Structure formats: C-alpha cells, structure tokens
Amino acid sequence: MAMRPEQSGAIPPTGGSMAPRPGAPHGARARFNPVAAGGPPARWTEPLKRHRYLILLLVLVCVLVVQSVDRRLVGVTAIAELLVMISLAAMVLVVFEGRRGRIAALWSGVVVAALGGARYLLPAVSQPGLEVLQQVLLMCFHGWAAALILRDVFQQAQIRTDDVLGAVSGYLLAAAAWANLYAVFEILFPGSFTISPDLTAQFSDLRGRLALFTYFSLATITSVGYGDIAPARGPMTAFAMLETVFGQFYIAVVVAQLVGMRLAQGTRGKGGR
C-alpha cells in the first residue's frame, strides 16, 4: 500500500524557495530567493541595494549643481524642476521601505509634481498659493526622509561606507527642508531676506529665488554664512539661528554615533578571533 507524502514524513516539493533546508532546525525557513520566486535576478537588485545611499547622494548633488546655474540660461529652470522630481522618486525607492510609508511618500510626490505642473497648465490660478502648498509638502517630505535615513543608519549592526553616505544624504535633505521653510515665508512675506544684486540678477524669477534658499540653507547649516543672502527680519533670524544649532548638533551626534558603532564593530571582530 502506497503511503502519502505526509504519512511517510517526506516533504513534498513546492517549487518555491521557502521550503526548509535538509537538516535545518525545526521551524527554520530558507532565505528567500527572488530568482526562484520569479522576481528580478539578485545580481541586479543586490548591488543597487548595497549602494542605494550612494545613488541618492549622486542625485541630490546633481540637483544642487543644476540649481546653482544662472536661471537666465534657456532650459535651466525646466531641467532643475525635472531633477527635483527625479530626486523625489529616488527618495521613494531608497528611503521609504515599508508599504504604507512608500505609498504615502508616493502620493506626496505625485501631489508635488501636480502642483508644479499646475503653474504651467493653469496660469490663472493663484501662483503664490500653489507655491506655498508645494513648499510645505516638500518640507515635510525632506524632513521625513532625513529622519528615516538616520533611523536606518543607527539601527545597522555593521557600519558600511554606504551608511556613511546615507548620513551625508540625510544632512543634505535636512538642509533642503529648512530651505523649503524659508521659501514659504519669503512667498508669504516678501522681503524677509536681503539678497546681493548679483544674485538677484541671476535668479530674478520666483523659481530662481526659491533655489537660492537651498544655497542659503546649506551655508547656514554648515555655519559658513557668506553674507550674500541674509535674513532681514523675524522670524527668519530665529530660524537661521535654529538651523545653525541643528547643523552643529547633527554633526556632533551623527559622527559620534558612527564612530562609536565602528569601534564596537572592531571590538566584536577582535573578540570573535
């Protein structure tokens, strides 16, 4: 009389990669194999995952470089806005890993892109209102992404080069969030900042002025302060001081955390020998 597989104790083939390995402890599950499950090959996904913060950092640097170009040149504004949309897509893919968080971030990015397109498709609509709403969403988006990056870096058991690049990306995103805050107040209260005549000539339109606040924010968060852009009245003066304190605190805490984790990692490595 033939015995069924479950009666004989044999494990029927499932065709998937989640079956226990021969000799594995009871309840153990094999590592998920995306190739066997019909997913993308690991040779394509694994390198991207290992260097995800490097990719994000390169995108952010491209945005900064293009935003610094003279807006009087043809096509610079369109390219800058396109790169901003690409950076949002990169953040959705790289930073937001949970399903709910990624969906919320995706919808936020879609709304930001729609508001950007409405400026061209609906010129009769109040431009300042659209700009304020877009900048507020970007501020929340950038701040949220920076917080998630830091949480991910601090939860790593082993510090890699890509984790350090993630901390740098979080630093740039935090500066971007402050820049969006400055842009909101400049739109609502024009004249909140004094800008040198040379920069005013190069970035005379509204979009160009908004790009200048990224430059001002990075100069403030790093405590450089060139003086070509300066807050002219409150509460911008208070926000600038708070960003300076935040920048110093970020560097002190993040560097100390990374160094401490690296030392602990080296100690564990020596103890295991």
Side-chain angles (χ1 to χ4, degrees), residues 50 61 128 147 159 170 177 205 207 218 229 250:
R50 287 198 306 266
V61 170
I159 295 298
D205 62 326
R207 298 302 301 168
L218 284 172
I229 305 177
Y250 185 104

Side-chain angles (χ1 to χ4, degrees), residues 7-71:
Q7 293 176 336
S8 62
I11 301 176
T14 59
S17 58
M18 300 304 294
R21 301 185 306 272
H26 177 70
R29 300 180 69 182
R31 185 181 297 273
F32 177 72
N33 187 344
V35 179
R43 66 176 181 271
W44 294 104
T45 59
E46 285 302 321
L48 293 177
K49 187 175 181 179
R50 287 198 306 266
H51 303 290
R52 55 177 182 162
Y53 289 132
L54 172 61
I55 297 173
L56 177 60
L57 182 60
L58 291 176
V59 173
L60 294 177
V61 170
C62 290
V63 173
L64 293 176
V65 171
V66 174
Q67 283 187 340
S68 65
V69 177
D70 191 339
R71 291 306 175 100

Side-chain angles (χ1 to χ4, degrees), residues 99-151:
R99 181 183 178 185
R100 292 183 179 179
R102 182 166 289 181
I103 291 176
L106 179 61
W107 277 109
S108 299
V110 170
V111 173
V112 170
L115 291 173
R119 291 195 306 269
Y120 302 98
L121 300 178
L122 302 173
V125 180
S126 175
Q127 294 293 325
L130 295 179
E131 289 289 352
V132 168
L133 182 57
Q134 186 183 43
Q135 294 300 317
V136 169
L137 287 176
L138 284 173
M139 179 181 64
C140 298
F141 194 96
H142 290 147
W144 186 15
L148 290 180
I149 288 176
L150 288 182
R151 186 189 68 176

Side-chain angles (χ1 to χ4, degrees), residues 53-55 57 149 153 160-170:
Y53 289 132
L54 172 61
I55 297 173
L57 182 60
I149 288 176
V153 171
R160 301 172 294 115
T161 302
D162 197 57
D163 298 321
V164 178
L165 297 179
V168 177
S169 300

